[in-house]
Amino acid sequence: RVMRHLGRVTGTAISWHVLRHAWATDFARAVLMGVHDGTHDADRNLEAMKALLIEQLRELGGWSLTSTMPMYYAGVAIKEDADRLLSARQSERAARILAMQQEQRAGQFDTHLHAESDKW
């Protein structure tokens, strides 16, 4: 009854399954953010992060030892995190390349100006 009432109030279909899914996804993301900012004790080793995530999800989410759901949510969060880090790294690299190209063009322009001024 609670879920139906919340669904009517919010105008969305809400179920315990949806809430558990949202919680597990957000929790996994939060643990990874904690690893990055030093809140959680795990090195940047992918296997250590995944094991920590699976253990915490299993314990707090109430999944059995044989359930694969904690592994699923850990995998999704790690993939999202890796995609975010890769995108940031690619953006930084693109910015460095663009800056180098602009410096090269500026140098070529200066060389061209000096050549033209020598003619006068």
Side-chain angles (χ1 to χ4, degrees), residues 30-72:
V31 168
L32 285 180
M33 286 295 121
V35 167
H36 292 308
D37 67 16
T39 305
H40 294 286
D41 292 331
D43 57 12
R44 295 286 300 159
N45 179 322
L46 181 62
E47 290 304 315
M49 287 190 325
K50 191 171 183 176
L52 172 68
L53 218 45
I54 291 169
E55 179 185 330
Q56 290 180 337
L57 282 166
R58 188 176 309 284
E59 185 178 319
L60 297 173
W63 281 288
S64 72
L65 292 175
T66 58
S67 175
T68 59
M69 291 313 297
M71 290 178 271
Y72 168 79

Side-chain angles (χ1 to χ4, degrees), residues 1-98:
R1 288 190 332 167
V2 171
M3 291 297 133
R4 274 183 282 181
H5 177 71
L6 286 174
R8 279 193 299 265
V9 170
T10 62
T12 346
I14 297 177
S15 68
W16 290 111
H17 173 78
V18 169
L19 290 177
R20 188 179 196 184
H21 173 76
W23 169 82
T25 303
D26 289 346
F27 181 79
R29 288 178 184 143
V31 168
L32 285 180
M33 286 295 121
V35 167
H36 292 308
D37 67 16
T39 305
H40 294 286
D41 292 331
D43 57 12
R44 295 286 300 159
N45 179 322
L46 181 62
E47 290 304 315
M49 287 190 325
K50 191 171 183 176
L52 172 68
L53 218 45
I54 291 169
E55 179 185 330
Q56 290 180 337
L57 282 166
R58 188 176 309 284
E59 185 178 319
L60 297 173
W63 281 288
S64 72
L65 292 175
T66 58
S67 175
T68 59
M69 291 313 297
M71 290 178 271
Y72 168 79
Y73 289 112
V76 167
I78 288 171
K79 182 191 178 312
E80 287 176 354
D81 191 51
D83 289 346
R84 182 185 59 77
L85 292 172
L86 179 61
S87 178
R89 186 173 183 181
Q90 288 173 336
S91 295
E92 290 169 7
R93 184 169 186 262
R96 283 195 311 271
I97 290 170
L98 182 59

